[in-house]
Amino acid sequence: MAITSEHMTGRQRLLATAAAQPTDMTPVWFMRQAGRCLPEYRALREKHPFLEVARTPELAVEATMMPIDRFGVDGAVLFADIMLPLDGMGVDFEIRPGVGPVIDDPIRTTEDIERIRVVDPEEGTPYVLNAISLLRRTLGDRAATLGFAGAPFTLACYLVDGRPTKEYPKTKALMYGRPELWDALMTKLAEITARYLEGQVRNGADVVQLFDSWLGLVDPATYRERVAPYTAAIFERLRPLVPTIHFSTGTVQLLTEIAATRPSMVSVDWRLPLDAAWDIIGPGLGIQGNLDPTMLMAPWETVEIAARDVLNRAGGRPGHIFNLGHGLLPETDPDQLSRLVELVHSYRDE
Ligand code: CP3
């Protein structure tokens, strides 16, 4: 790897990589690093319910900073949730422990879609914007601020089915069977999401990631017609502002189509080796990934081999952010993550 500077900050390192420029080390952060596995997070959660932490900027920033202080990662993903924009839409939801997001009054009819409000995040979710700007000031240059949102398809899964399922049957039935209704819903969600991310950028997000967590349920032809146009519209709005990352999992069948929505980088899971996935995405886009989060349950020696394999496959090419292929598991030993950051930061091409 070209050593261009011995003294890049985490923020510079991540932003240079997102711009496909060389860096001193490979930048690294972990999806879901801010909640889940840290004892200091559990202590915070004993005092405050999840949504109270997410809706209170000081508490959200406190949770966001925990993995920065402990692991020295290069990206600080805001402690928030993909469901928060529903506050602005006027759709009630709760996060039920052991279940996940639940909507008692799901969105299924023309009238339901019409009642979804399209508002600017200053009105709908001001606490998210305030949290981002407080985070930006707290972090300085230690790490890049990563804003995020759920992608329209994944938001639709929760809005239409109303709760987590394996197949999101009601959502897919609407997508296949009621194309006009689907278009009305997805158009609204794309507009809301674009405004929400633009607002995060105005308040200090350096990079934004779009989480399309349930996209693995979709075939390429349906993706092209019923999902990609809305995703592409969001990236088009953000392109002049900041680098963008598309996240999904279980989408080997879609990588070419995902790349065609033109994010700056594509986050890939572990189902393909990193170099094979990068070949499909193409050299024009960066890549994020792709250690299996379950790998972190193995002894360190095994984790080390797997992590080095990811780095070797990136081969020192600019444009690789080291990450997991999906969010880390609550039972992850934080010490494994500390060692992993050290390994990624000390890695040189082999
Ligand atoms: O690093 C972080 O954790 C940052 C904040 C963050 C949360 N959710 C906090 C959270 C992020 C980036 C998310 C994204 C998110 N939320 C996604 C996309 C990422 C993915 O994993 O695919 C999705 C699908 C959701 C929806 C959601 N929210 C689910 C399925 C759940 C329940 C299960 C769980 O633990 O993830 C939530 C609740 C939630 N969001 C929690 C946290 C820390 C757990 C609530 C608690 O602490 O009690």
Side-chain angles (χ1 to χ4, degrees), residues 7-137:
H7 303 290
M8 285 181 124
T9 64
R11 186 185 187 201
Q12 289 168 332
R13 186 173 301 130
L14 194 137
L15 288 178
T17 297
Q21 286 159 10
T23 52
D24 56 345
M25 312 165 187
T26 300
V28 51
W29 67 284
F30 303 117
M31 281 182 278
R32 306 302 312 277
Q33 68 191 12
R36 295 202 160 174
C37 84
L38 294 181
E40 52 270 36
Y41 172 71
R42 295 211 187 94
L44 181 71
R45 281 283 284 100
E46 263 164 39
K47 289 184 276 172
H48 309 277
F50 167 67
L51 284 173
E52 184 188 326
V53 180
R55 288 176 178 139
T56 310
E58 290 73 20
L59 296 177
V61 170
E62 189 182 333
T64 305
M65 289 303 292
M66 289 172 179
I68 312 303
D69 292 335
R70 194 193 258 258
F71 306 129
V73 283
D74 301 297
V77 62
L78 180 68
F79 187 87
D81 194 78
I82 63 166
M83 301 302 284
L84 294 178
L86 273 66
D87 285 347
M89 294 183 211
V91 177
D92 287 338
F93 71 96
E94 56 176 310
I95 305 280
R96 212 166 281 170
V99 179
V102 175
I103 297 167
D104 284 331
D105 227 346
I107 303 296
R108 306 224 169 119
T109 64
T110 309
E111 296 70 44
D112 294 337
I113 295 169
E114 277 168 1
R115 79 178 150 89
I116 294 177
R117 300 192 312 144
V118 180
V119 296
D120 287 324
E122 281 77 1
E123 182 189 336
T125 45
Y127 52 82
V128 171
L129 305 187
N130 293 337
I132 280 270
S133 70
L134 179 60
L135 176 63
R136 177 70 276 148
R137 279 177 278 140

Side-chain angles (χ1 to χ4, degrees), residues 19-325:
Q21 286 159 10
T23 52
D24 56 345
M25 312 165 187
T26 300
V28 51
W29 67 284
F30 303 117
M31 281 182 278
R32 306 302 312 277
Q33 68 191 12
R36 295 202 160 174
C37 84
L38 294 181
E40 52 270 36
Y41 172 71
R42 295 211 187 94
L44 181 71
R45 281 283 284 100
E46 263 164 39
K47 289 184 276 172
H48 309 277
F50 167 67
L51 284 173
E52 184 188 326
V53 180
R55 288 176 178 139
T56 310
E58 290 73 20
L59 296 177
V61 170
E62 189 182 333
T64 305
M65 289 303 292
M66 289 172 179
I68 312 303
D69 292 335
R70 194 193 258 258
F71 306 129
V73 283
D74 301 297
V77 62
L78 180 68
F79 187 87
D81 194 78
I82 63 166
M83 301 302 284
L84 294 178
L86 273 66
D87 285 347
M89 294 183 211
V91 177
D92 287 338
F93 71 96
E94 56 176 310
I95 305 280
R96 212 166 281 170
V99 179
V102 175
I103 297 167
D104 284 331
D105 227 346
I107 303 296
R108 306 224 169 119
T109 64
T110 309
E111 296 70 44
D112 294 337
I113 295 169
E114 277 168 1
R115 79 178 150 89
I116 294 177
R117 300 192 312 144
V118 180
V119 296
D120 287 324
E122 281 77 1
E123 182 189 336
T125 45
Y127 52 82
V128 171
L129 305 187
N130 293 337
I132 280 270
S133 70
L134 179 60
L135 176 63
R136 177 70 276 148
R137 279 177 278 140
T138 308
L139 264 178
D141 254 12
R142 287 170 71 194
T145 43
L146 296 158
F148 73 89
F153 176 77
T154 289
L155 288 178
C157 285
Y158 287 118
L159 287 167
V160 176
D161 269 272
R163 58 179 53 241
T165 79
K166 260 183 117 136
E167 305 285 350
Y168 292 96
K170 295 188 170 67
T171 307
K172 290 179 78 180
L174 184 76
M175 176 170 72
Y176 292 137
R178 308 286 306 273
E180 280 150 39
L181 234 64
W182 179 254
D183 173 63
L185 175 62
M186 292 291 277
T187 301
K188 270 194 159 177
L189 293 177
E191 178 62 30
I192 290 163
T193 305
R195 289 193 199 183
Y196 181 64
L197 291 174
E198 285 166 347
Q200 293 183 38
V201 173
R202 278 195 295 279
N203 285 274
D206 294 319
V207 177
V208 294
Q209 177 159 317
L210 199 59
F211 281 98
D212 218 346
S213 301
W214 312 132
L215 196 52
L217 296 169
V218 179
D219 67 274
T222 305
Y223 180 71
R224 269 197 300 277
E225 192 180 342
R226 305 273 156 93
V227 180
Y230 310 95
T231 303
I234 295 168
F235 289 135
E236 196 177 322
R237 292 263 289 265
L238 274 299
R239 193 168 302 118
L241 307 177
V242 286
T244 54
I245 306 173
H246 180 284
F247 166 84
S248 65
T249 172
T251 49
V252 162
Q253 76 283 12
L254 298 181
L255 289 180
T256 306
E257 277 78 13
I258 288 169
T261 65
R262 296 186 59 211
S264 314
M265 315 188 78
V266 179
S267 193
V268 294
D269 72 16
W270 58 92
R271 290 175 175 84
L272 276 182
L274 188 101
D275 49 346
W278 210 343
D279 283 347
I280 300 173
I281 293 160
L285 298 186
I287 194 163
Q288 176 172 269
N290 71 339
L291 192 71
D292 185 342
T294 316
M295 184 64 75
L296 292 162
M297 305 301 132
W300 169 251
E301 294 67 32
T302 308
V303 177
E304 179 169 1
I305 292 168
R308 282 189 187 281
D309 183 59
V310 170
L311 290 159
N312 290 338
R313 288 174 190 280
R317 286 175 280 178
H320 172 227
I321 297 176
F322 190 100
N323 205 321
L324 307 175

